[in-house]
Amino acid sequence: MEDSPAVFFNGQSFTVIGILGGIEREQRLSTSVILPPTTAKDRLGLDTVNRVLINTSLGAAQQVARQSPIALAPDSAKELHRPLPA
């Protein structure tokens, strides 16, 4: 990946592996850097994921909302759960 572009954060370089498109729903992502949780923890000491954005197909949102906390954090799924609006 010698020819790949890089960004620098906290004095460390990170290889750019993609550019996020389709961010109309979350404009804040246009100025964000997205790291795998393990990289964030190992290289930057960040161990808390504070936001997960999931796109769903029409009609699947409630099922995904119920299942994703378990899939993302099986040992602490209740910490990720937010009640769905009625």
Side-chain angles (χ1 to χ4, degrees), residues 6-68:
V7 295
F8 290 84
F9 182 76
N10 263 10
Q12 297 184 54
S13 69
F14 295 87
T15 302
V16 175
I17 61 169
I19 298 174
L20 189 62
I23 58 168
E24 295 81 21
R25 196 170 107 192
E26 287 290 327
Q27 289 293 313
R28 292 182 292 167
L29 293 176
S30 67
T31 58
S32 297
V33 174
I34 300 171
L35 298 171
T38 52
T39 301
K41 184 175 183 177
D42 295 347
R43 295 191 51 194
L44 300 172
L46 304 173
D47 60 358
T48 302
V49 175
N50 58 20
R51 186 168 186 162
V52 175
L53 178 64
I54 301 172
N55 290 322
T56 65
S57 296
L58 187 61
Q62 289 193 8
Q63 181 174 351
V64 170
R66 283 190 299 272
Q67 294 176 348
S68 57

